[in-house]
Amino acid sequence: EDFFSVYDDIQRLEAFHALAHDERLLDLTGQVLGEGAFPHPLKIARLGFPLSDEVSTPPHQDYPNNQGTPDLTATWTPLGDCPRDLGGLAVLRGSHRCGVLPLAWHMGPGMRRAVVSDEMLEALRWVTTDFEAGDVLLFPAMTVHASLHNASEFHLRLSVDFRYQRPGEALTPGVLEPHF
């Protein structure tokens, strides 16, 4: 019940927003996108509650939500060790080459999910790993990804999503404001 009040408190933390500007993250994203790559003001904290499958982030692509440029690059970072049972991130390997997928309603974050065809699921496969504090996963905006269900009984999974792009590329108004 108190999710949004807690989430608002997180969005007010300078340290949360400053993390996207960490020298190591900027260097890493600069290596991928080129010099001057910058994070969007829209920064997302993910709270993976135990045994709450209905609010896990469904399979989706970032491009339909953020638009602007298909060259957008996302980073996903756990804020603590994240073994698979804590509900880390899974990526549909090779899905970035499949274009923008159709969307359908879903009750989890974003209220929609990418519609992944059976043929696509047969040709590609979901991949994940155990993550540790300090890991950073980078992927392009067309990549289908989802959070796994937090199967732990007591532990909250905390992670952050930041998106980076090259200077001079198109932006949409939604990425210029804090999340929610």
Side-chain angles (χ1 to χ4, degrees):
E1 293 178 9
D2 295 326
F3 173 83
F4 284 104
S5 66
V6 171
Y7 196 78
D8 287 347
D9 288 344
I10 292 169
Q11 285 291 328
R12 288 186 189 100
L13 293 172
E14 181 180 347
F16 167 67
H17 292 278
L19 182 57
H21 299 269
D22 181 89
E23 181 179 308
R24 292 163 292 188
L25 270 176
L26 290 175
D27 180 58
L28 183 61
T29 56
Q31 289 177 44
V32 172
L33 292 168
E35 190 174 330
F38 65 93
H40 286 175
L42 174 72
K43 296 171 182 73
I44 301 174
R46 301 284 185 192
L47 311 173
F49 292 95
L51 304 174
S52 297
D53 297 350
E54 70 277 1
V55 293
S56 295
T57 304
H60 68 284
Q61 297 170 298
D62 285 347
Y63 182 75
N65 297 325
N66 298 294
Q67 296 289 311
T69 174
D71 292 329
L72 179 79
T73 295
T75 64
W76 181 87
T77 307
L79 297 180
D81 290 347
C82 186
R84 291 174 208 207
D85 69 333
L86 205 55
L89 197 75
V91 172
L92 189 57
R93 188 171 65 184
S95 60
H96 64 286
R97 295 186 295 260
C98 297
V100 177
L101 300 180
L103 298 170
W105 183 86
H106 187 277
M107 73 178 290
M111 303 300 288
R112 56 190 185 170
R113 64 175 176 79
V115 177
V116 181
S117 69
D118 290 339
E119 295 81 18
M120 205 171 149
L121 289 173
E122 286 178 27
L124 308 174
R125 70 181 179 116
W126 287 101
V127 293
T128 191
T129 191
D130 294 318
F131 293 95
E132 295 179 1
D135 286 346
V136 178
L137 179 64
L138 279 81
F139 50 90
M142 298 295 187
T143 302
V144 176
H145 58 287
S147 69
L148 300 173
H149 302 308
N150 183 344
S152 73
E153 192 172 345
F154 303 107
H155 300 286
L156 180 70
R157 190 250 309 143
L158 299 172
S159 60
V160 293
D161 300 2
F162 304 137
R163 286 156 187 88
Y164 295 80
Q165 72 176 67
R166 294 178 186 101
E169 291 188 332
L171 285 164
T172 56
V175 303
L176 297 174
E177 298 179 15
H179 192 229
F180 291 132

